Amino acid sequence: GVNIPRQLEGTIGAQKIFSLIREEFQKNNDMHQTLTIVNNLIISNSRRVQGINIGVVYNNMFYLLCQYEEFPDYFTLYYYQDESLSLACSEPIGNYNWQTMKKGEIINL
């Protein structure tokens, strides 16, 4: 249900989203801004977005986007970070002090 108004590389949605991230990053060279733009483009060019969770590693930083319109228990992301470890997952595991991402939030670890 996503109809971005330009041709994107790829045959499946994940490949096209990766192409979109690459294209937008080449324009502004800022991954946080790129994920904001990609999130807005997908939402504004879709009939409905159940959920979008994107993780990108760039320049030794881990960027996460958590977006959903429904099923927050399913689409919410959790993260943990200390001086030597950064983790992200869709369901808390282990005994880490997990933080919960908010709808529409973009963070970098």
Side-chain angles (χ1 to χ4, degrees):
V2 180
N3 189 17
I4 304 296
R6 65 179 185 244
Q7 189 67 30
L8 294 170
E9 241 180 85
T11 53
I12 62 172
Q15 293 169 333
K16 291 179 180 189
I17 289 172
F18 181 73
S19 295
L20 184 59
I21 290 169
R22 262 194 345 218
E23 287 179 14
E24 292 301 327
F25 184 73
Q26 288 173 351
K27 292 178 188 177
N28 62 52
N29 206 35
D30 178 307
M31 190 54 71
H32 191 279
Q33 183 179 358
T34 294
L35 290 177
T36 300
I37 291 166
V38 167
N39 185 41
N40 291 337
L41 277 170
I42 291 171
I43 289 171
S44 64
N45 290 284
S46 301
R47 288 186 305 270
R48 181 177 66 103
V49 175
Q50 268 191 328
I52 309 167
N53 288 330
I54 298 174
V56 177
V57 175
Y58 179 75
N59 266 357
N60 209 29
M61 296 295 295
F62 188 16
Y63 295 85
L64 293 168
L65 161 66
C66 178
Q67 180 63 268
Y68 53 85
E69 289 303 319
E70 51 188 292
F71 308 115
D73 290 341
Y74 183 79
F75 287 109
T76 296
L77 290 177
Y78 302 89
Y79 65 96
Y80 168 80
Q81 184 177 38
D82 65 23
E83 57 280 343
S84 64
L85 182 65
S86 296
L87 301 171
C89 59
S90 58
E91 188 169 321
I93 57 172
N95 293 322
Y96 298 100
N97 185 21
W98 294 102
Q99 303 295 312
T100 305
M101 289 186 70
K102 296 176 185 73
K103 175 182 172 181
E105 186 174 24
I106 298 171
I107 63 169
N108 60 301
L109 305 175

